Amino acid sequence: MTGLWVVVGTLVAGLLVGALLHRRNGRIRTTAEPAGESAELPEPVTAALAPGSAVTLVQISTTFCAPCRQTRALLSHLAERTEGLHHVDLDVTDRPHVAQELGVLRTPTTVAYTSEGREILRVGGVPKGPDLLAALGPHLVPEVERGSH
């Protein structure tokens, strides 16, 4: 009888962990960083920032990550169709120190940066396109429009 309770407990725990991970997948977390301050970025991230774009989406991926391919397709599509948005896929398979320095614990993780290197938001897992664009909207508005609000 004890074996049956162990199996049931394991199944329940697995279902709860799975539900929690599914719920957190694609959730956008804004970064509460004081204005004017930005963390020291690893060189591959600094090199990936597009000076001519308002926002650069840096996707942290690994070679054999299936959700990373889905995220790459989504973010590339958004960047092609959104002015001021640039996408870079950074494979950290052979550079785990980059993920460690950024505090990335899973792939894919997408981090949005301003052209100056200030972090705006993070998404763990595959982002939801409309939600991501809505969160980035204030950063993508041209300077002329921002000044009139």
Side-chain angles (χ1 to χ4, degrees):
M1 188 67 171
T2 302
L4 177 63
W5 286 113
V6 169
V7 169
V8 169
T10 303
L11 285 173
V12 168
L15 287 172
L16 290 173
V17 168
L20 177 66
L21 289 175
H22 179 71
R23 189 175 186 284
R24 293 186 64 193
N25 189 42
R27 191 178 86 208
I28 297 171
R29 292 175 288 143
T30 56
T31 305
E33 190 175 284
E37 290 183 27
S38 60
E40 183 79 23
L41 297 175
E43 189 278 327
V45 175
T46 305
L49 297 178
S53 294
V55 175
T56 299
L57 298 174
V58 178
Q59 175 187 339
I60 307 300
S61 302
T62 51
T63 304
F64 299 106
C65 167
C68 293
R69 290 188 287 276
Q70 183 181 358
T71 300
R72 184 179 312 112
L74 171 75
L75 296 179
S76 294
H77 178 78
L78 289 177
E80 288 171 5
R81 289 168 171 60
T82 308
E83 191 173 337
L85 187 61
H86 180 68
H87 169 246
V88 175
D89 186 5
L90 204 63
D91 188 332
V92 296
T93 303
D94 297 324
R95 301 180 283 186
H97 67 279
V98 174
Q100 185 178 10
E101 288 177 46
L102 294 174
V104 171
L105 301 176
R106 67 184 273 202
T107 58
T109 293
T110 304
V111 186
Y113 292 100
T114 64
S115 58
E116 298 85 28
R118 187 177 59 83
E119 185 175 320
I120 301 169
L121 58 83
R122 286 180 180 233
V123 182
V126 180
K128 295 164 187 71
D131 294 346
L132 182 59
L133 283 178
L136 291 174
H139 303 281
L140 295 172
V141 177
E143 283 296 323
V144 175
E145 289 182 29
R146 252 190 266 170
S148 64
H149 289 287

